[in-house]
Amino acid sequence: MKKALMIALAAVLVVVFVGLALVTGGGSQNSACAATAANADAAGAHDAIDGYSGDQLVNAAAIMNAGAALGVDVQGQTIAVMTAMGESTLKNIDYGDKAGPDSRGLFQQRDTWGTLAQRMNPAQAATFFYQRLLKVPNWQTMTPTLAAHAVQINRDPNHYAKFFNAATAVVTALSGGSAACAAGVSGDAQALAKHIVDLTNQGKIAWLSPTHFPEVQAIADGKPKQNCNVDTRILQVITIATKTFQSIGISDVNRLCTGQRPGAGNLSAHVVNGGGHAVDFYAFDGTPTTGADANAIKLLRALGPVMPDNSGTGQVQCRANAGSSIDLPMNQFDDSCNHVHVQVDPKGDEPMKLTSGGDN
């Protein structure tokens, strides 16, 4: 497939996705942030990513955009790119193999999947893949390779595992940050807290330790408690996370209030100066985070440009070990690989670098 045609297809998919969002509301207020589109032209000119370059990255962009058109989040898009890496090295090949002589295209789909023209069309082939993936029960909680295997039925269920880190790097690089997820976030603590309470009641925010939810509830009620408050900037961080994903899980906020002292203990931003200057996320879209997975990277890229100076995030060694290190305008430090820690300067009051102060 020529690059010009690929660019046109990607543009059509993005228009279709936006049109669906306008007509249907995108399924929820979060959909525009949860599904990530990629610029096919920029992808083709991008520096090599884990050995993939040129038309391979254009094909990856087409796969991502097909997912965006269906509202598939970054987790599903990463699985799709990983699968195509494992099947064709992201090359739109016009031949099969001994096991499937009629297999064709990025996903090596056999003739039962569609016509030859459809299977050789990267956008259509990716759409076929997503349509089957979305029918797999609980695919979001499966390991990526098993989710891919449930669609592809490869002889080796673990065949795709070795491509996951590269797929994460490609999706991360081609998607970039998501400024839309930070747009329109209020600076009013009570309004932010009320919004968080509403989302909690809707089941879109889960609290691993229920003792932290009353901290936000008190702010929503206009009755914040000393040493149990939550920094307004952290309420904004939580709000951006809720706009980035369909659902989130929070484990810690103000440990001074609850008496918890794990990790950095009394030096933690969870504790110092009244506490509540940090938040720990343990899951995104129902999937536990390692601080290095595609969802963690997506959140950090959304937050990076809008965080105040001297902000920080943990899990830097988790990302290094997973091969998903990223440059951020935030301090990065070691932390346990079972959450994403985000903090603001507990002794400063510089606001978030948001361009809009609209309501949520």
Side-chain angles (χ1 to χ4, degrees):
M1 185 69 65
K2 295 182 179 179
K3 185 180 296 184
L5 180 56
M6 290 293 302
I7 294 168
L9 287 169
V12 170
L13 282 166
V14 173
V15 170
V16 170
F17 172 60
V18 172
L20 285 171
L22 291 174
V23 173
T24 67
S28 86
Q29 66 178 29
N30 305 335
S31 296
C33 298
T36 300
N39 183 310
D41 194 19
H46 201 289
D47 292 340
I49 307 169
D50 259 320
Y52 297 90
S53 62
D55 287 342
Q56 291 172 300
L57 296 182
V58 173
N59 289 331
I63 293 169
M64 293 172 62
N65 290 335
L70 296 173
V72 178
D73 65 13
V74 69
Q75 178 186 2
Q77 291 170 310
T78 304
I79 290 172
V81 172
M82 173 193 73
T83 303
M85 286 177 171
E87 293 290 353
S88 65
T89 67
L90 286 178
K91 295 178 180 178
N92 199 25
I93 55 180
D94 60 356
Y95 54 87
D97 56 19
K98 185 176 181 180
D102 56 341
S103 298
R104 296 292 186 274
L106 291 174
F107 293 88
Q108 285 292 278
Q109 293 158 337
R110 306 193 68 170
D111 56 14
T112 53
W113 285 70
T115 66
L116 176 61
Q118 288 174 322
R119 289 177 287 146
M120 289 300 296
N121 179 320
Q124 183 60 66
T127 298
F128 285 153
F129 176 84
Y130 288 122
Q131 288 171 338
R132 296 198 183 192
L133 176 68
L134 294 174
K135 292 179 181 179
V136 176
N138 303 314
W139 67 267
Q140 299 96 328
T141 61
M142 300 169 68
T143 62
T145 188
L146 292 184
H149 172 69
V151 175
Q152 300 292 109
I153 317 297
N154 192 291
R155 182 172 59 182
D156 177 10
N158 295 311
H159 169 70
Y160 307 98
K162 57 182 171 287
F163 302 101
F164 180 70
N165 287 341
T168 299
V170 167
V171 171
T172 297
L174 298 187
S175 62
S178 184
C181 299
V185 174
S186 170
D188 183 306
Q190 187 171 12
L192 290 164
K194 285 182 177 179
H195 183 60
I196 292 169
V197 168
D198 287 344
L199 293 180
T200 298
N201 292 335
Q202 294 171 34
K204 295 180 179 179
I205 300 179
W207 299 80
L208 188 62
S209 176
T211 53
H212 286 287
F213 177 63
E215 299 161 13
V216 177
Q217 181 73 69
I219 300 170
D221 294 340
K223 300 177 182 179
K225 299 178 181 179
Q226 186 177 12
N227 296 332
C228 286
N229 207 352
V230 180
D231 193 306
T232 300
R233 298 167 296 178
I234 292 301
L235 295 175
Q236 291 174 314
V237 168
I238 294 172
T239 300
I240 292 170
T242 66
K243 296 179 71 177
T244 305
F245 303 100
Q246 301 290 342
S247 65
I248 62 173
I250 297 174
S251 55
D252 288 287
V253 186
N254 191 324
R255 291 178 183 161
L256 184 63
C257 184
T258 61
Q260 299 163 286
R261 295 295 188 275
N266 289 328
L267 299 178
S268 170
H270 288 290
V271 177
V272 299
N273 197 22
H277 307 288
V279 59
D280 289 349
F281 299 98
Y282 71 87
F284 304 106
D285 289 337
T287 303
T289 182
T290 63
D293 55 277
N295 285 333
I297 300 301
K298 181 175 177 64
L299 177 64
L300 293 176
R301 286 196 177 277
L303 289 173
V306 299
M307 294 297 289
D309 292 342
N310 298 318
S311 297
T313 184
Q315 291 73 48
V316 66
Q317 89 284 7
C318 310
R319 292 185 286 278
N321 292 337
S324 59
S325 297
I326 55 173
D327 291 327
L328 290 169
M330 304 165 63
N331 299 321
Q332 299 190 59
F333 46 83
D334 290 355
D335 203 347
S336 55
C337 302
N338 60 359
H339 66 287
V340 174
H341 173 97
V342 180
Q343 68 180 52
V344 294
D345 183 355
K347 297 182 180 179
D349 57 5
E350 181 184 338
M352 298 279 281
K353 299 173 183 176
L354 301 170
T355 57
S356 172
D359 296 331
N360 297 313

